[in-house]
Amino acid sequence: MIPPPYLNSDKHSFGYDTARVRWPKIINGCITDLPKLNTRNNPQLLQQFHQLLNDINDDRTLQPFTPDEIKLNSHLKLYNEHLLANGPYTWKTGPWLYLECHLYQVINNIFLRDNINIDIFQILKQSTLVSSQVGIIELCKNISNRDFRNVSSKDKLVYFKEFIDISLWGNSTDLSLLAGNVSLDDIKSIQGEETRKLNEKNILVNDTFKIFEYLNIHPGGIIDIVLDNSGFELFSDLVLAIYLVEAGLASKVNFHCKLIPWFVSDTLPKDFDELFIELDKFQNDAVSGFVHKCKQYITTGKFNVKSDAFWTLPLPYWDLAKYPIYSQFQSLTLLIFKGDLNYRKLTGDVAWPKTTSFAEAIQGLLTAGLPIVTLRTCKADVTVGLPPGVEDTLINSDGEFWSSSGKFAVINFFKP
Ligand code: F6P
Ligand code: MG
């Protein structure tokens, strides 16, 4: 039986605090940044943000999207169908995952209605990338003199592990967490090599070796990465992708982005260019070399940047095989899901016992024939695949909210 979803009314869920503290902070951030983005109709747009803030603070009932909104974005139909079948919901009591997706669609509609094409989180995205400068230069210097094309099989595994870790911990850089108790200094401190080594013990499920073994048997295929955050995390994913291609573990990497601004820091196709522009400003040879290589791989088709509305639906990925996006995955060797939100969608964001197997938690995806990897630092309640007893140890050491603290991580591999 499938357990119930995590609810914003549940004081034991991170959703409780998210709806009451973090969302209002995020919306207030939009109100502060909007005038700086120099848009038309500012007063009208601001008024809509204030309205959204009041709706959340007053715990009002969510309204279905209007026919006009659906005309502008047909995918909202699916939101209404979900609300009709499962609602009504209020902002502070309904299911956390659905509500959070609905929230970002409401924000997007504010701009869509007036045909204004801006990323309201752009200023925040940019400012945190600058604060990642030290970590980025360290990594670029580190990889610029290494030849991944000719490495011994022993080193191939060592490097693979290193780059998986870089991409994994790159996921700690989630701007929506800045609306909570994580500071920019905290983010900076997790980006260095030393810290990555220290954090190894916090990877609660680690299938890295199994993934490597699998890729070694199936080298040179297509690897798709369903991206999460832009900025430092996107940088870390590109580092991993470069390694995969140059070590011959993949011939091509497809990057899947969101279509609309999402969960503050998620990657949009234009964030690739934003990243390259910001990195060039560092005026560092190793960093410029990295940017040049990425651009070259994009031009030659080794790297492909894609986007699809599927990633901004409010649904678990259990039924992914029923959606058109599935046809894109027919010939891939590996599908890597980055980050917390993707993990929540893979597992349905329901209250699985922590010892539930990953295979059970992904439900219908189990039979979709896709080899799946998750690289996720834990920032929400749902975590599966733990050996018996581990949860109790974590509660004792880190308290009830260990799974949403961002301190722990999971690397899962599922092969059909
Ligand atoms: O925990 C904070 C949070 O905003 C969650 O609501 C959400 O699942 C997650 O972070 C987003 O994180 P990520 O960028 O890793 O998907
Ligand atoms: Mg994100």
Side-chain angles (χ1 to χ4, degrees):
M1 231 188 47
I2 296 172
Y6 285 104
L7 297 176
N8 284 355
S9 52
D10 180 359
K11 287 194 171 155
H12 303 286
S13 166
F14 193 49
Y16 185 90
D17 186 64
T18 298
R20 286 157 184 80
V21 182
R22 294 171 52 247
W23 291 349
K25 270 195 191 161
I26 288 168
I27 297 167
N28 274 315
C30 294
I31 292 171
T32 309
D33 283 352
L34 184 61
K36 299 179 202 157
L37 289 163
N38 197 19
T39 55
R40 301 175 264 129
N41 302 332
N42 270 359
Q44 230 179 309
L45 300 179
L46 282 175
Q47 193 268 330
Q48 291 178 68
F49 275 107
H50 282 291
Q51 177 68 51
L52 175 60
L53 193 58
N54 290 339
D55 287 352
I56 292 173
N57 285 337
D58 298 347
D59 194 22
R60 301 220 174 102
T61 302
L62 268 74
Q63 297 306 309
F65 292 106
T66 65
D68 281 348
E69 287 170 327
I70 291 173
K71 235 185 255 165
L72 293 169
N73 176 2
S74 62
H75 298 94
L76 296 177
K77 234 191 282 171
L78 213 136
Y79 280 77
N80 283 3
E81 283 163 18
H82 176 95
L83 272 183
L84 196 67
N86 304 284
Y89 298 145
T90 74
W91 286 104
K92 288 184 185 169
T93 63
W96 178 18
L97 176 63
Y98 175 86
L99 290 173
E100 201 156 17
C101 295
H102 191 105
L103 169 70
Y104 286 93
Q105 291 287 3
V106 172
I107 293 176
N108 186 53
N109 280 344
I110 294 177
F111 298 102
L112 202 57
R113 230 172 271 135
D114 279 334
N115 197 16
I116 297 171
N117 184 17
I118 60 160
D119 177 357
I120 184 64
F121 305 114
Q122 183 58 32
I123 294 173
L124 194 53
K125 280 175 169 174
Q126 229 160 7
S127 63
T128 18
L129 184 65
V130 173
S131 76
S132 303
Q133 186 162 351
V134 178
I136 288 175
I137 293 178
E138 182 194 325
L139 267 174
C140 285
K141 278 191 185 155
N142 178 309
I143 60 175
S144 64
N145 293 323
R146 287 152 80 182
D147 177 8
F148 300 132
R149 290 192 165 85
N150 299 301
V151 285
S152 68
S153 48
K154 186 173 148 260
D155 279 351
K156 211 171 181 178
L157 170 62
V158 174
Y159 291 171
F160 180 73
K161 212 173 140 309
E162 179 183 347
F163 293 116
I164 285 284
D165 276 2
I166 286 169
S167 171
L168 170 73
W169 292 110
N171 179 243
S172 303
T173 313
D174 161 23
L175 299 185
S176 73
L177 278 178
L178 288 180
N181 53 3
V182 174
S183 71
L184 273 180
D185 279 342
D186 291 337
I187 283 181
K188 261 189 269 178
S189 75
I190 51 182
Q191 292 173 347
E193 192 179 343
E194 282 298 300
T195 325
R196 269 199 316 278
K197 281 191 185 138
L198 281 174
N199 280 340
E200 186 117 7
K201 62 179 185 320
N202 294 337
I203 305 176
L204 304 172
V205 176
N206 195 342
D207 288 340
T208 305
F209 185 64
K210 287 187 200 159
I211 306 167
F212 179 75
E213 271 189 323
Y214 167 79
L215 281 180
N216 245 336
I217 302 170
H218 304 90
I222 299 171
I223 297 186
D224 283 41
I225 305 181
V226 182
L227 292 173
D228 186 6
N229 303 309
S230 59
F232 185 81
E233 182 168 0
L234 175 59
F235 164 77
S236 72
D237 298 334
L238 286 162
V239 170
L240 172 64
I242 288 176
Y243 177 69
L244 291 173
V245 163
E246 295 190 352
L249 292 169
S251 57
K252 188 170 154 179
V253 178
N254 295 318
F255 297 91
H256 296 270
C257 306
K258 308 295 187 299
L259 262 180
I260 60 172
W262 199 245
F263 283 65
V264 183
S265 39
D266 281 21
T267 307
L268 303 172
K270 59 102 182 147
D271 289 323
F272 278 74
D273 289 330
E274 300 286 348
L275 174 70
F276 298 150
I277 291 169
E278 290 307 310
L279 291 184
D280 275 335
K281 288 185 192 160
F282 292 179
Q283 299 199 328
N284 175 283
D285 286 349
V287 178
S288 303
F290 169 84
V291 170
H292 179 73
K293 187 175 271 186
C294 290
K295 285 184 176 169
Q296 212 177 12
Y297 283 174
I298 290 174
T299 312
T300 55
K302 268 196 168 53
F303 288 178
N304 264 295
V305 181
K306 303 181 165 202
S307 59
D308 196 283
F310 177 77
W311 308 118
T312 46
L313 294 178
L315 309 171
Y317 294 152
W318 297 342
D319 289 333
L320 186 146
K322 294 186 185 148
Y323 289 81
I325 189 103
Y326 184 53
S327 63
Q328 295 185 28
F329 298 148
Q330 293 314 305
S331 48
L332 54 70
T333 305
L334 194 65
L335 182 56
I336 301 178
F337 286 92
K338 285 298 315 280
D340 190 74
L341 177 61
N342 277 324
Y343 187 91
R344 287 169 72 192
K345 286 187 164 185
L346 282 164
T347 56
D349 209 42
V350 298
W352 295 112
K354 302 288 190 262
T355 48
T356 308
S357 69
F358 183 69
E360 185 183 351
I362 62 173
Q363 292 285 300
L365 207 49
L366 188 70
T367 51
L370 300 171
I372 289 170
V373 164
T374 63
L375 300 178
R376 174 236 191 179
T377 58
C378 307
K379 301 179 228 164
D381 308 310
V382 63
T383 296
V384 294
L386 298 190
V390 170
E391 184 187 10
D392 288 343
T393 311
L394 290 165
I395 294 173
N396 284 335
S397 62
D398 288 77
E400 185 188 9
F401 289 99
W402 65 267
S403 179
S404 44
S405 65
K407 174 174 167 188
F408 300 97
V410 282
I411 300 176
N412 294 87
F413 178 47
F414 169 76
K415 186 165 66 82

